[in-house]
Amino acid sequence: MKAFEKNIRKVEPYVPGEQPQRKVIKLNTNENPYPPAPGVSKALQGMDVDRFRLYPDPTAGDLVHTLAEYYGVDDSQVFVGVGSDDVLAMCFLTFFNSDKPILFPDITYSFYKVWAELYRIPYECPAVDESFHIVKEDYYKENGGIIFPNPNAPTSIYENLDFIEDILKHNQDVIVIVDEAYIDFAGKSAIELIDKYDNLIVVQTFSKARSMAGMRIGYAISNPTLIKYLNDAKYSFNSYTMNMTSLVCGVEAVKDKAYFEETVEKIKDTREWTKKELTKLGFTYPDSQSNFIFATHEKYAAQDLFEALREADIYVRFLGGERIKNYLRISIGTMEEMEQLIAFLTEYMKKHE
Ligand code: PMP
């Protein structure tokens, strides 16, 4: 081993879902099957390319202001970043600096573990119960901070605000981050609790309900004190995280509330249809409140199904791992795409009875 090796920060990186560059039925990364709001395309066409000579607004002021208005908070309560991954990474760096372990569920967004390792933050992962629900009492012990998604991923389960408040009440001395990447497909957001709990940060994204995974926009909403700490860390890292195009497109996406609501409703309707069809085929799954379903079948191994689907150009996510090795995470696509998925599975099961 070379001497310098011992000083290299070695990490096992997060593995994102496949992004095949040809057209497939893509149900593997929880993207939105519908295009962004029409205003996004218009704004893009109207962009003044000459302005690309200049650095973008380091404060992302227009986007911050548009989000603040949308959620009825002050501009000083909004932090934006390059996707919620960037926002979450910045949160780990800024807020999780205790010697005590941070807590997040054993079955959850696998990036949390990677950031904890990268920043050398001690962590513990309380097990979700048999039905994949987070056990809130496991978060009542001493810790260095808490993070979990609501709805959780990949389980798709949403917990109501009483549940979130119970965790907050027992954890007033540490930062609690609720990662709401999928909240628009579920119930109430914890944003309404930020005035009541000064240790709460809510993180959301444009990647799912707003159809803009490719633009990389995420944001945190909290009180001005915590948002200032986040900005201080960001400006110590990279002043210009958000590019001009994303800033312009993001504003347009937030403005069109009607389009957003219509798209979310379509996805929820398709989700409910897909649940029924999967049940008919013998699949079981937690009751999804997200834009994906976490499904398992007693007779068919998830990995076999995953591979057969992939051969047929239908991409779903097989995550593996001890407790969930027989589960597939299936994103909700258009109705036509879900019909094709169900048709394929029906045929497959006929052939492999
Ligand atoms: N949180 C959760 C729970 C997710 O599933 C994802 C999507 N992979 C993210 C955060 C990150 O999304 P993005 O960086 O696209 O905003």
Side-chain angles (χ1 to χ4, degrees), residues 293-311:
I293 298 172
F294 197 48
T296 186
H297 200 292
E298 265 188 0
K299 280 207 253 162
Y300 299 94
Q303 187 156 12
D304 293 345
L305 290 172
F306 165 77
E307 278 162 17
L309 283 162
R310 198 168 177 283
E311 281 285 297

Side-chain angles (χ1 to χ4, degrees), residues 207-228:
S207 299
K208 315 297 176 183
R210 293 194 190 279
S211 307
M212 300 241 283
M215 280 287 113
R216 310 306 299 125
I217 308 173
Y219 51 102
I221 301 203
S222 184
N223 57 67
T225 309
L226 296 190
I227 294 299
K228 168 144 191 339

Side-chain angles (χ1 to χ4, degrees), residues 2-266:
K2 295 270 194 184
F4 55 68
E5 285 271 344
K6 71 174 189 312
N7 293 327
I8 292 176
R9 188 180 293 263
K10 300 200 177 74
V11 285
E12 203 180 305
Y14 171 76
V15 183
E18 282 179 271
Q19 290 295 131
Q21 296 302 305
R22 65 203 161 77
K23 203 164 162 34
V24 299
I25 297 185
K26 199 168 174 309
L27 310 175
N28 68 333
T29 48
N30 299 342
E31 290 143 329
N32 195 311
Y34 301 108
V40 172
S41 167
K42 278 199 212 110
L44 207 49
Q45 280 158 30
M47 274 197 86
D48 178 5
V49 175
D50 181 55
R51 281 188 61 82
F52 288 4
R53 294 180 297 104
L54 309 175
Y55 284 108
D57 172 9
T59 70
D62 285 347
L63 181 59
V64 163
H65 183 65
T66 309
L67 282 166
E69 276 201 325
Y70 185 86
Y71 289 106
V73 298
D74 193 72
D75 289 14
S76 61
Q77 295 181 266
V78 181
F79 173 84
V80 297
V82 186
S84 53
D85 282 341
D86 180 46
V87 176
L88 290 165
M90 209 53 78
C91 286
F92 271 61
L93 181 68
T94 309
F95 300 116
F96 293 160
N97 293 295
S98 168
D99 296 334
K100 293 177 199 133
I102 61 164
L103 305 177
F104 51 85
D106 65 337
I107 299 174
T108 196
Y109 187 32
S110 55
F111 225 141
Y112 299 161
K113 192 171 157 225
V114 176
W115 288 314
E117 297 274 351
L118 176 67
Y119 295 133
R120 308 202 173 130
I121 302 163
Y123 61 94
E124 272 174 27
C125 300
V128 295
D129 69 16
E130 283 299 294
S131 56
F132 292 152
H133 281 268
I134 294 173
V135 182
K136 64 183 180 201
E137 291 78 11
D138 290 346
Y139 296 78
Y140 294 175
K141 61 180 174 190
E142 246 198 312
N143 63 72
I146 291 177
I147 179 161
F148 57 90
N150 194 36
N152 194 6
T155 66
S156 77
I157 297 171
Y158 170 74
E159 304 292 355
N160 64 28
L161 290 192
D162 289 342
F163 178 101
I164 308 286
E165 275 209 83
D166 282 340
I167 292 187
L168 283 161
K169 279 181 194 145
H170 286 85
N171 289 282
Q172 307 268 324
D173 295 335
V174 295
I175 299 295
V176 176
I177 302 173
V178 183
D179 174 357
E180 293 190 335
Y182 303 102
I183 193 67
D184 302 307
F185 308 104
K188 279 188 170 185
S189 163
I191 290 176
E192 66 181 70
L193 301 175
I194 54 171
D195 288 339
K196 201 165 164 192
Y197 297 94
D198 62 4
N199 58 331
L200 170 64
I201 298 174
V202 179
V203 175
Q204 295 195 2
T205 179
F206 281 54
S207 299
K208 315 297 176 183
R210 293 194 190 279
S211 307
M212 300 241 283
M215 280 287 113
R216 310 306 299 125
I217 308 173
Y219 51 102
I221 301 203
S222 184
N223 57 67
T225 309
L226 296 190
I227 294 299
K228 168 144 191 339
Y229 287 128
L230 267 179
N231 270 314
D232 288 348
K234 169 227 156 126
Y235 286 121
S236 310
F237 199 85
N238 175 356
S239 316
Y240 309 104
T241 52
M242 307 286 295
N243 71 64
M244 262 178 205
T245 316
S246 297
L247 291 175
V248 167
C249 293
V251 168
E252 290 305 320
V254 182
K255 277 191 196 156
D256 198 338
K257 194 161 185 235
Y259 180 85
F260 166 75
E261 285 170 356
E262 185 192 317
T263 308
V264 167
E265 278 317 304
K266 268 200 287 195

